[in-house]
Amino acid sequence: MITRYGATRDELQNLLTTEPRYRIDQVWTGLYSELSTPEEMTALPKTLRAHLTDLLPNSLLLVEQIVSDDDTTIKFLWELDGGSRIETVLMLYPDRATVCVSTQAGCAMGCGFCATGQAGFTRHLTAGEIVEQIVRAAQHAKGMGRRVSNVVYMGMGEPLANEEPVWESIVRIHDDLGLSARHLTVSTVGIVPGINRLASRPLPVNLAVSLHAANDSLRDALVPINRRYPIKALMEACSNFLESKNRRLTFEWALISEVNDKPSDAIELAQLCRSFRVPAHVNLIPLNPTPGYSVKGSSRNHVQAFCDQLVSMGANATVRRNRGTDIAAACGQLAAGQPVQITRSK
Ligand code: SAH
Ligand code: SF4
């Protein structure tokens, strides 16, 4: 089925064979530059607008929209064709607006601390479903007088396990929505061949690698795919990624109390980066609690001490604010049907 943001320009042309070429351009500009629905494309004749609404249906049905206490984080829960549910989060900062997108309904990677991993895999998202998440969030931002500037592939699912649709969506976001590749970040659990292919793709997007452990025995336990792609192979792929021009790399590290938050863990991480000459930026975030994982996130003091230890060893690290904890904005928590404390629902 052809959907509103799944259709390529050629497919749109084929749907509207009797229309002159400039009409196709108008529709394309309406969809991507103006973020308009067909009904809002007032430059088009009324009959064509109605026809387009039928020809190009949305692929995401809004189930719920939740706004954080301070109005800066908006979470969308969508239902897909087939009934599965996914999430998108819009985060408004003073200097930028970031959309966090899902790439799969569920995930097959089985990381025990992650709500999406606990739910298991349902299906891949299409490029159209990924692009539409950004457009729908951007329409919301536009209503608040804001423009989406950044996209992070850090929602539900593993982007590099759904590579082609993810890449197709990146090209669409870059070419048609007009975002720069430097403002797009793909987050991966560490699929080595996928990282190598990403390094050779033409658009220099940023990469975030969810490391969480700097030795194989701990990483095997936290991130099962490490058994297939152990740390040495992962670090070599990261180094290769950095060598291809203009790319930025970050390591994600969810701090889990007494599991990976000790000074010795920070020292091991700093040494790992040094020995593989991978000058990555480390993003530290205390683990968000999920019902399927009994261990807690680290205390604020532990997080800061871990950060200070890394910095003292010459590594680059920042503590990330836990955005939207009050609306369960961590990966997959809402779609997994967890009881969430909803402060305000719109
Ligand atoms: N599959 C990709 C992208 C989606 S997960 C990946 O793993 O990178 C996005 C990020 O959320 C990852 O860094 C993941 O490790 C992290 N994450 C998952 N569950 C979390 C939790 N309960 N608390 C904090 N971070 C979590
Ligand atoms: Fe999948 Fe990422 Fe969650 Fe692991 S952390 S289960 S790879 S979504």
Side-chain angles (χ1 to χ4, degrees), residues 106-111 113-118 155-158 189 210 212 331:
C107 182
M109 297 296 143
C111 308
F113 56 83
C114 166
T116 310
Q118 289 160 18
M156 299 169 71
E158 168 51 42
V189 68
S210 302
H212 308 313
C331 185

